[in-house]
Amino acid sequence: MPISIAVALLLWGKVRGPRPVRILSRLAMILFCQVTAVLMVFVMVNNANLIYGSWDDLLGTGKHVRAVPSVPPAEPGQGSQPGGTQAGGDAKPPKVTQQFRSVDDPKVPNDVQKTDLKGQLSGVDGEVLVWLPPQYHEPAYKDKKFPVVELIPGFPGSSSTWYGTLKVSEQLKPLMQEGKVAPFILVSPRTLLLGNSTDAGCTDVPNKVNADTWLTRDVPQMVLDNFRADASPDRWAVAGYSAGAHCATKLALAHPNRYRAGVSLSGYNDPATEKDSLVGKDAKLREANNPVNIVRTAAQPPKVALYISGNKGDGYEDGQAIAAVAKAPTTVQVQETTGPHSSDVWKNMVPGVFQWLTGIIPAQP
């Protein structure tokens, strides 16, 4: 912006031509300065909150859905193998060793690593960020497998937000070293999969996107293939804020063979709460993906522990609605919070939330 103002001041008195031309030229200079000012503010806000990970995300030009194949069901009891067994008895997808690199973002700690994953079951392609706990490379833990937490951002949101804005790894590292928090592997996959500012809602939508399969099968399989991660659902959790909180609750309840716990920070139950939700625009999908309905219609209560927090009018009542229909072994802890719907509130909750998670899915003894 300072450059645009300097250019305008430099050229202001040098404009030549008839009076109407001079007026239009100077108006164009003023407009240019205003546009650059707005863009600068947007970039500053985006850089501070990591709302969009790239210009492609902002403009909706990124290509992350390679195909929308029919997803084979996971066999019963295959919760420890996210790929499951293919239809017709074929073996689960072969192990794929990923290449990892540092995250090119000054707000993200340099011990967070990034890979580009091609989802074998979902047809989704996207980046996945992984952070390993301090114990991972210690000799005493060389034969240990570690619990995992998938971190889901809001909408729109970047796979970097949990690390760069909520400071999850920076806050938890000293707590893990002190033994106050379990040494979780933290995994944050891309969730902004569709262009045109459309929220996939962490759901498999026929002929549109297999977002659920991407998050609950492809991403976990990648983690198991590349890290010493504990495959048992007793050692996996999913956490999210805002739209990601809705996803965390829904995915935990819908996939008790994958997750033992879910954390919702200022989430909601009705997918249509997010006006850009693809799921919210379809009556059947909207009903099927409401966590209250998932609990009500489950053949048996899912063995899942939920931590749901929110202000009144911003997630608190939604948590109470789930708690009202939950039956053992489903447990729901609802925590009322104060403050705005913002990352400042969620960031401050990180230590307490992960201490709660440690009690639900502790590391191997």
Side-chain angles (χ1 to χ4, degrees):
M1 187 180 71
I3 295 177
S4 64
I5 294 174
V7 171
L9 291 174
L10 180 65
L11 299 179
W12 191 269
K14 297 182 180 181
V15 176
R16 298 292 181 264
R19 180 178 175 81
V21 172
R22 297 198 304 271
I23 292 174
L24 287 174
S25 297
R26 287 166 178 158
L27 285 174
M29 292 180 193
I30 294 172
L31 180 61
F32 178 69
C33 290
Q34 291 177 327
V35 169
T36 55
V38 170
L39 283 174
M40 187 184 75
V41 171
F42 170 79
V43 170
M44 291 174 64
V45 171
N46 186 71
N47 288 345
N49 296 282
L50 297 175
I51 300 169
Y52 294 99
S54 66
W55 285 104
D56 280 338
D57 287 347
L58 172 62
L59 300 174
T61 55
K63 301 292 184 181
H64 299 285
V65 179
R66 173 177 18 96
V68 191
S70 177
V71 179
E75 291 290 323
Q78 290 289 332
S80 62
Q81 300 293 332
T85 299
Q86 301 290 319
D90 294 338
K92 68 183 180 68
K95 178 178 180 179
V96 176
T97 302
Q98 293 289 127
Q99 298 298 315
F100 290 84
R101 63 188 186 279
S102 61
V103 180
D104 186 20
D105 190 323
K107 286 184 66 67
V108 176
N110 57 17
D111 57 353
V112 177
Q113 48 191 322
K114 175 179 179 180
T115 190
D116 295 315
L117 177 64
K118 297 180 74 70
Q120 297 184 65
L121 293 176
S122 65
V124 169
D125 298 338
E127 79 278 3
V128 183
L129 274 59
V130 179
W131 179 82
L132 300 175
Q135 291 90 338
Y136 191 87
H137 297 293
E138 292 181 3
Y141 288 81
K142 65 182 179 64
D143 297 321
K144 298 289 187 181
K145 292 187 176 181
F146 291 79
V148 182
V149 182
E150 276 191 74
L151 305 171
I152 313 297
F155 176 83
S158 162
S159 52
S160 297
T161 308
W162 271 92
Y163 303 104
T165 304
L166 271 62
K167 308 292 184 185
V168 62
S169 60
E170 293 178 66
Q171 293 194 74
L172 295 184
K173 186 174 182 177
L175 296 176
M176 291 179 182
Q177 292 170 325
E178 295 168 11
K180 296 179 180 178
V181 168
F184 297 111
I185 295 174
L186 304 179
V187 181
S188 182
R190 166 176 283 274
T191 55
L192 195 59
L193 306 176
L194 301 170
N196 302 317
S197 299
T198 301
D199 178 19
C202 306
T203 299
D204 285 2
V205 181
N207 303 315
K208 294 289 186 180
V209 62
N210 289 325
D212 183 311
T213 299
W214 161 251
L215 293 170
T216 65
R217 297 177 70 176
D218 283 333
V219 171
Q221 189 65 58
M222 182 278 291
V223 175
L224 292 174
D225 284 348
N226 289 270
F227 302 99
R228 296 197 314 276
D230 194 325
S232 169
D234 288 331
R235 298 292 184 265
W236 281 69
V238 57
Y241 63 86
S242 193
H246 164 74
C247 288
T249 303
K250 184 195 77 169
L251 294 176
L253 291 171
H255 300 283
N257 66 333
R258 164 47 45 206
Y259 308 104
R260 185 61 65 236
V263 173
S264 167
L265 307 178
S266 303
Y268 50 81
N269 291 333
D270 183 358
T273 301
E274 170 51 63
K275 63 182 180 63
D276 293 318
S277 169
L278 188 63
V279 177
K281 294 177 172 61
D282 182 292
K284 290 184 178 179
L285 288 175
R286 179 180 176 183
E287 180 179 358
N289 287 277
N290 186 314
V292 172
N293 295 333
I294 293 174
V295 174
R296 279 183 179 148
T297 59
Q300 52 185 293
K303 185 183 177 182
V304 169
L306 298 178
Y307 180 100
I308 302 176
S309 70
N311 204 344
K312 288 183 177 178
D314 186 23
Y316 179 69
E317 292 84 357
D318 295 79
Q320 289 182 313
I322 298 173
V325 297
K327 298 178 180 178
T330 307
T331 63
V332 184
Q333 179 173 328
V334 183
Q335 179 68 46
E336 183 178 356
T337 61
T338 58
H341 189 88
S342 75
S343 58
D344 288 336
V345 172
W346 306 320
K347 180 173 68 174
N348 291 334
M349 297 182 68
V350 164
V353 163
F354 276 82
Q355 287 174 336
W356 175 84
L357 269 178
T358 298
I360 304 298
I361 52 170
Q364 286 183 334

